[in-house]
């Protein structure tokens, strides 16, 4: 009887801890998305140039390293905002390009709506069904690495066809990553809300830019 009570107490504590991670993750995610939108808006309104692929990669991986290193302290939250703010800045020139298209505003709104629908739908599915998607981890890691390298090849060798294929791959991979990360939080695989926030933010960012690329190509005569 005592063992059963102890096990019940541990289960309840685990559930409370998981709920706390979920709550903190979505709270921080909403704040970082708002901050990223703000920096994107400032970058767009000022007409700032894109920093280029090399500076973007150095800035992203550098800030990601610092976020990971300090994930258990207040500095981790600070570096999350630095990371998402920087990515927002890089998004400004991209938005400027698509808004210059004849129906650019419609393309951007469609990409935003599609991103929101996919993220909310997949998150709700994972949260309500509580299915374990941990089996997707290895596949997603390999897939993202392949798509990332293919994307670099498309940029440096100027291959628009490959670039479109990479965008389509990223839509599928980021959708899978949303399911995987949400499931990971629910089942206790991810207990740090800072890292969970970064993973979900990156999924949303890449999902949005990939949809933007595909929709922009489809609507540009």
């Amino acid at each position: 009887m005592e063992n059963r009570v102890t096990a019940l107490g541990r289960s309840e504590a685990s559930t409370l801890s998981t709920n706390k991670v979920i709550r903190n993750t979505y709270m921080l995610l909403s704040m970082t998305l708002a901050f990223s939108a703000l920096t994107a808006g400032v970058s767009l309104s000022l007409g700032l140039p894109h920093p280029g692929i090399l500076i973007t990669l150095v800035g992203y991986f550098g800030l990601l390293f610092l976020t990971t290193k300090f994930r258990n302290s207040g500095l981790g939250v600070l570096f999350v905002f630095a990371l998402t703010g920087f990515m927002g800045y890089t998004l400004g020139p991209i938005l400027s390009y698509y808004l210059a298209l004849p129906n650019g505003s419609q393309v951007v709104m469609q990409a935003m709506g599609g991103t929101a629908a996919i993220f909310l739908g997949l998150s709700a599915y994972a949260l309500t069904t509580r299915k374990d998607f941990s089996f997707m981890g290895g596949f997603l890691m390999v897939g993202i690495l392949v798509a990332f390298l293919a994307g670099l090849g498309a940029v440096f060798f100027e291959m628009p066809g490959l670039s479109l294929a990479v965008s389509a791959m990223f839509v599928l991979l980021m959708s899978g990553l949303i399911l995987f990360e949400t499931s990971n939080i629910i089942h206790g695989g991810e207990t740090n809300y800072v890292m969970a926030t970064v993973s979900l933010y990156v999924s949303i960012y890449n999902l949005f830019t990939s949809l933007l690329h595909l929709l922009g190509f489809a609507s540009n005569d």
Side-chain angles (χ1 to χ4, degrees):
M1 182 69 177
E2 184 179 347
N3 290 337
R4 181 181 295 180
V5 172
T6 302
L8 184 63
R10 289 176 180 173
S11 177
E12 186 175 336
S14 176
T15 300
L16 290 173
S17 176
T18 298
N19 290 339
K20 183 179 180 181
V21 174
I22 293 173
R23 183 175 63 253
N24 289 342
T25 296
Y26 283 99
M27 185 181 300
L28 182 58
L29 180 63
S30 62
M31 290 190 291
T32 53
L33 285 172
F35 182 64
S36 185
L38 176 63
T39 57
V42 171
S43 176
L44 177 63
S45 62
L46 295 178
L48 299 178
H50 194 277
I53 185 68
L54 292 179
I55 294 178
T56 298
L57 290 176
V58 170
Y60 169 73
F61 284 110
L63 290 170
L64 180 62
F65 169 78
L66 291 172
T67 301
T68 304
K69 182 177 180 179
F70 295 102
R71 62 186 179 275
N72 294 316
S73 69
L75 280 176
V77 176
L78 179 64
F79 283 122
V80 169
F81 278 97
L83 173 62
T84 55
F86 174 73
M87 296 309 292
Y89 155 63
T90 65
L91 188 59
I94 297 174
L95 290 175
S96 178
Y97 171 80
Y98 284 99
L99 288 172
L101 297 175
N103 55 345
S105 298
Q106 182 180 353
V107 170
V108 172
M109 292 305 296
Q110 287 176 342
M112 289 179 63
T115 302
I118 292 172
F119 175 73
L120 293 175
L122 292 176
S123 296
Y125 177 76
L127 288 168
T128 54
T129 63
R130 303 185 73 85
K131 287 186 176 180
D132 188 357
F133 292 96
S134 59
F135 65 90
M136 298 173 64
F139 167 78
L140 289 171
M141 183 179 297
V142 173
I144 290 171
L145 178 60
V146 171
F148 175 73
L149 294 176
L152 289 180
V155 171
F156 287 113
F157 296 106
E158 299 181 357
M159 302 171 66
L162 178 58
S163 182
L164 284 172
V166 169
S167 292
M169 288 176 62
F170 263 110
V171 169
L172 296 175
L173 288 168
M174 293 305 107
S175 297
L177 188 58
I178 291 169
L179 284 174
F180 172 79
E181 189 59 37
T182 306
S183 170
N184 213 19
I185 298 171
I186 294 171
H187 295 285
E190 179 59 84
T191 58
N192 188 289
Y193 71 93
V194 169
M195 298 311 300
T197 298
V198 170
S199 180
L200 290 176
Y201 173 86
V202 170
S203 300
I204 293 171
Y205 180 94
N206 285 321
L207 184 58
F208 173 67
T209 54
S210 296
L211 285 175
L212 196 59
H213 187 197
L214 293 172
L215 291 170
F217 176 82
S219 64
N220 189 7
D221 295 335

